[in-house]
Amino acid sequence: NAGVMQNPRHLVRRRGQEARLRCSPMKGHSHVYWYRQLPEEGLKFMVYLQKENIIDESGMPKERFSAEFPKEGPSILRIQQVVRGDSAAYFCASSPNRGNYGYTFGSGTRLTVV
Amino acid sequence: GQQLNQSPQSMFIQEGEDVSMNCTSSSIFNTWLWYKQDPGEGPVLLIALYKAGELTSNGRLTAQFGTTRKDSFLNISASIPSDVGIYFCAGQGKNNNNDMRFGAGTRLTVKP
């Protein structure tokens, strides 16, 4: 009875390195959403994916950030050449279908860039 | 983009007191949701509202979807220590995408 699984829970990267954040949606959920939360702030939408497709990436920074949700395996949020400003908590949520607003969130990955 | 203003930013209350927080939007939403986030965890859905004017309860929690579709409130009655956390409102607009917009949160502290 696994919920949305994110790993790692904590990730430390030096400036210039790459960060790869993984999200396995709930069983039966084919829609995945990524959000970023800065300290003392709410969650900011980044990207919405369905299996093998990016549906909406309007919240993704234009450079260095990419996301995928392959046919097999977890969704990946990739941040290349990380900078200190990328330090945040990154949350993944999933839903069983489009239009279901009861997203289930994972526990997040806390990225620290040193 | 759609802007959500959530207030108050923080609240310090005594156990047993009632709590009220609200969210307003610069534009219309089709859906309002309220989430709670505990430290180090992801948000957990408390209440979802789908119709203007809708009033929904979940235990000691009551939320309403404003008739203008630009606001919502959440009330917590008879607060207890485990109510501590950050409460977020979230709204879903008319766009075809599925993103939700979140308020900045209300940090609730309950003193026993």
Side-chain angles (χ1 to χ4, degrees):
Chain A
N1 183 26
V4 177
M5 303 301 292
Q6 288 188 251
N7 65 83
R9 286 295 301 269
H10 300 275
L11 182 61
V12 179
R13 284 287 177 265
R14 295 187 184 279
R15 279 179 295 172
Q17 290 185 319
E18 178 180 289
R20 290 172 70 87
L21 288 62
R22 286 176 290 278
C23 169
S24 296
M26 281 187 71
K27 190 175 180 181
H29 287 193
S30 59
H31 299 249
V32 165
Y33 316 83
W34 284 94
Y35 286 79
R36 177 164 63 176
Q37 184 178 34
L38 295 171
E40 310 296 317
E41 292 188 14
L43 288 85
K44 297 284 194 294
F45 169 77
M46 299 182 75
V47 62
Y48 159 42
L49 310 104
Q50 211 178 340
K51 281 288 187 182
E52 300 185 273
N53 290 306
I54 296 175
I55 307 301
D56 178 4
E57 56 182 348
S58 59
M60 287 280 269
K62 295 283 184 269
E63 298 175 346
R64 302 187 297 109
F65 284 71
S66 62
E68 63 176 14
F69 188 15
K71 189 176 179 181
E72 301 290 338
S75 175
I76 306 285
L77 178 67
R78 184 178 174 214
I79 311 173
Q80 295 177 287
Q81 299 176 317
V82 294
V83 300
R84 288 236 170 95
D86 296 333
S87 295
Y90 292 83
F91 290 96
C92 167
S94 71
S95 68
N97 49 45
R98 188 185 184 114
N100 183 323
Y101 304 113
Y103 300 178
T104 301
F105 280 85
S107 296
T109 293
R110 276 140 193 87
L111 172 66
T112 303
V113 179
V114 297
Chain B
Q2 294 157 330
Q3 196 81 4
L4 283 185
N5 297 306
Q6 186 171 350
S7 65
Q9 278 189 312
S10 59
M11 302 183 75
F12 296 83
I13 61 168
Q14 207 69 39
E15 183 178 358
E17 289 184 355
D18 296 343
V19 172
S20 186
M21 57 192 80
N22 69 81
C23 248
T24 58
S25 169
S26 56
S27 52
I28 289 172
F29 280 118
N30 287 339
T31 304
W32 281 97
L33 306 103
W34 286 91
Y35 284 84
K36 184 191 177 200
Q37 185 178 28
D38 291 325
E41 296 297 328
V44 173
L45 182 65
L46 299 174
I47 292 180
L49 303 154
Y50 300 106
K51 283 170 45 177
E54 180 181 354
L55 183 72
T56 297
S57 292
N58 178 7
R60 293 178 296 107
L61 278 60
T62 302
Q64 183 156 31
F65 192 145
T67 53
T68 64
R69 297 169 71 185
K70 291 185 177 182
D71 64 309
S72 176
F73 72 74
L74 174 71
N75 287 342
I76 306 173
S77 62
S79 58
I80 59 178
S82 62
D83 290 335
V84 165
I86 306 176
Y87 292 80
F88 291 103
C89 63
Q92 172 78 37
K94 291 184 177 180
N95 297 331
N96 288 330
N97 57 30
N98 269 57
D99 64 283
M100 279 190 295
R101 306 296 181 191
F102 280 79
T106 296
R107 294 178 176 276
L108 179 64
T109 302
V110 179
K111 300 174 200 172

